[in-house]
Amino acid sequence: MNMNIRAGTARDYLESISKEIYSELPRDILNIVDLDLFGAEVVIYTLSPGKFADYYDKIRELAKKLKKRITIRTPNLEEIAKKNEEEAKRFEEVINKNRKPPEEAKKIIKKIIPEEAGIKKIVFDNTSGKVYIEAVKPGVVIGKGHANKIRILKETGWIPEIKRYPPIPSPIIWTIREFYMRDEVDNFRTRMLKRIAMKINIQSTWMIKGQKTWVRITSLGGYQEVGRNCHLLTTKESRVLVDCGISLGAPPQEMFPDFKIPEFNLEEIDAIVLTHAHLDHTGALLYILSGHSEYTYDGPIYCTEPTRDLLYLLLKDYMSLSRDFYLQVKLEDILKRIITVDYGTTLDITPDIRMTFYNAGHILGSAMVHFHIGEGFYNVAFTGDFKYDKRSRVPRLLPPADPAFPRLEALVMEATYGGKRDTASFDDAVNRLGDIIRNAYRKKAKVIIPAFTVGRSQDVMFAIRYLRDHKLIPEDIPIYIDGSIWEATAIHTSYPEYLSKYVRDLIYEEGEKIFDKNVFIDVHKDKDKRLEIVSEHGPAVIITTSGMINGGPIFEYLYYLGQDENNVLVFVGYQAEGTIGRRIQDGARTIMIPIDGRNTLVELKLDIETVEGFSGHAYRDQLENFLLDLNARRGQGIKLQNIVVHHGEPKKIESMARWIERNIRAKSIRTPNNLETVRLI
Ligand SMILES: [Zn+2]
Ligand SMILES: [Zn+2]
């Protein structure tokens, strides 16, 4: 029987998989009291989790067969007691009989796990029956072939969930982890996931009848421009929003995607999928979840785990700078809707769409998203922002994009650098930065680098570390880190498996010592320290937000250091139209910036440099190579029939489209405007 084409309602589906599961797992021995569908997952409720230790492989086989993640937990007794107090009591007795009390369980866990794992935290969650173990080396906790994990389950009766203890302390990661353990959050998510399950596990009418459907993309924002990215993907049965961004620096009427068109109804959206955390792909979440827009969204948000954490950081920073009341949201209202998905894991998100993320190489957690529509009917991928740098010798923060889509008919791609070929490589950029720092050192001057909190800052930090390690810059020049950059860096170190091999190995080997604290100095929120730095004689490098000089501590540094012609301001990232950064880059030497709450005219006499090559976007040659590499897989499931180009200035999109016309045999190449709909099939 094909478990993927479902017959009837979600209940019918649950019944059919229950049969399948109970034929493999003995209900009485395992004390299973219920089975349920949570989103795309199957949840088994048991009173004796420990017994599952002997059925670990069986569950893996079942998950493969059903193409579903299977998790076990204990029933939520508080919820059961609301309906049936006696049953809840009886369940509680059995559960307690079958597992060790927390104190005893803790001792057993510490005995099982070798010292070198570096266990930092053990937290028991009564509601789900899980024990959260945070360790410096989670792999050691899990053990070979999950051996330790299974032993913990067997010997304590608690279900282990193992997390990496962030090598650099990250308050945000702790806030988020603590948030998901709250009972009210668990209850909200249970209700949401059950609702999703009811929606996605139903019969797809057109699929069952063997009918054809259509697939359309409506451009709500980010077409023929950079900013407010938002695509609406529709099929006969699905409405999915891919990204939901704002345009920083745009006037209010052009800040958000065009949600007001008649055919768009937020309440009918099945899912929001985020490619990555940058605000031009996520900022409008504040608008649609604030309760101040006409409609509010009440569904799930899918992204990778690092994207979730970075999103929290970026939205928090943005809200603290923005005075618009309609952009003030409780971030918890976003967090509780987020369902994280790893690269390469395939998930049903609607009755006829299955989704998979692939590494995009742009920032930590960034993803290309692939939609598999209707059992082999049609495949479309959105690149999101991506980087495809396979040449640089200086090691980078992230590995290049990995578009390992098994099948493809349509590609929606970014073209930020779709214009003429750029020559600067990452290696050139790092060398140039080395020159600038050495020069400043000789002159005892300051190097000010405005950089985006996420991505560029870390790339620059690792580049500086590389230059130091190779003695290409003096060792005694301090590197000051301001804004939320240090916090973002801490989040990076929590996800080594998402980073390049070079950086991953550094984190494994050095942990929190990856950035020597005597050299890389975090001055976030320390105004006195900031004043000390600007009045101190001697050379220094200052990496600070914001990347396009439209807010943040960079203002103060320019105010205090901008008049000294020995100092240098170094641009390492894209400066959007309308930002102060762009005006300076275009030659402006007097700028008006707020200092201590007063608009102040500042004359810039310092040197101004732009170092090309650090960008997290694919340069023109990388865009071309990306398409050529995909095209080389023609005949292996990849057919580039439809290509849609967006996320770029009009001239660059045009130039990219011309190249595609000449070099890729696609049926159609389109460069829509905002609000156009493209029918793919
Ligand atoms: Zn981006
Ligand atoms: Zn973008």
Side-chain angles (χ1 to χ4, degrees), residues 323 527 549-556 559 580 591-602:
R323 264 155 280 165
K527 235 183 142 95
I549 317 191
N550 44 356
I554 182 73
F555 286 156
E556 277 171 75
Y559 177 69
I580 297 176
I591 51 168
M592 182 79 91
I593 50 177
I595 296 296
D596 291 328
R598 278 221 316 268
N599 275 339
T600 312
L601 211 55
V602 175

Side-chain angles (χ1 to χ4, degrees), residues 25-32 45-49 51-52 55:
L25 303 176
R27 202 172 169 170
D28 43 341
I29 295 176
L30 293 172
N31 241 323
I32 299 172
Y45 289 97
T46 171
L47 304 180
S48 314
K51 297 254 169 63
F52 277 78
Y55 289 83

Side-chain angles (χ1 to χ4, degrees), residues 417-424 619-622 624-625 659:
Y417 287 95
K420 66 177 191 315
R421 270 169 174 262
D422 306 84
T423 44
Y619 291 129
R620 172 66 181 262
D621 61 323
Q622 294 168 18
E624 291 173 10
N625 287 335
W659 182 89

Side-chain angles (χ1 to χ4, degrees), residues 277-278 310 313-314 363-364 451-458 485 488 492 545:
H278 277 153
L310 295 174
L313 172 70
L314 291 178
I363 59 167
L364 176 71
F452 306 123
T453 309
V454 170
R456 207 68 54 256
S457 303
Q458 289 74 33
I485 292 171
H492 280 71
T545 55

Side-chain angles (χ1 to χ4, degrees), residues 15-54:
E15 206 168 294
S16 75
I17 61 163
S18 298
K19 271 191 204 139
E20 197 72 31
I21 288 173
Y22 288 137
S23 73
E24 300 285 339
L25 303 176
R27 202 172 169 170
D28 43 341
I29 295 176
L30 293 172
N31 241 323
I32 299 172
V33 290
D34 201 6
L35 282 184
D36 210 350
L37 297 166
F38 268 32
E41 261 178 44
V42 180
V43 181
I44 301 176
Y45 289 97
T46 171
L47 304 180
S48 314
K51 297 254 169 63
F52 277 78
D54 297 331

Side-chain angles (χ1 to χ4, degrees), residues 226-227 229 276 278 280-281 362 384-385 414 416 617 647:
V226 177
N229 279 277
H276 66 289
H278 277 153
D280 63 321
H281 298 254
H362 170 62
D385 295 357
E414 70 127 321
T416 317
H617 292 277
H647 200 294

Side-chain angles (χ1 to χ4, degrees), residues 382-453:
F382 292 75
T383 64
D385 295 357
F386 75 99
K387 185 82 192 169
Y388 199 58
D389 181 358
K390 296 189 143 180
R391 277 190 326 182
S392 74
R393 270 175 298 135
V394 179
R396 300 201 65 144
L397 182 66
L398 300 169
D402 173 28
F405 322 125
R407 297 191 46 184
L408 198 68
E409 276 87 29
L411 182 73
V412 182
M413 69 181 290
E414 70 127 321
T416 317
Y417 287 95
K420 66 177 191 315
R421 270 169 174 262
D422 306 84
T423 44
S425 67
F426 185 68
D427 294 343
D428 295 338
V430 175
N431 285 334
R432 181 84 194 98
L433 185 64
D435 290 344
I436 292 170
I437 294 174
R438 277 196 306 275
N439 197 20
Y441 184 82
R442 272 195 298 273
K443 291 199 278 184
K444 294 191 166 50
K446 308 267 194 293
V447 178
I448 309 166
I449 307 176
F452 306 123
T453 309

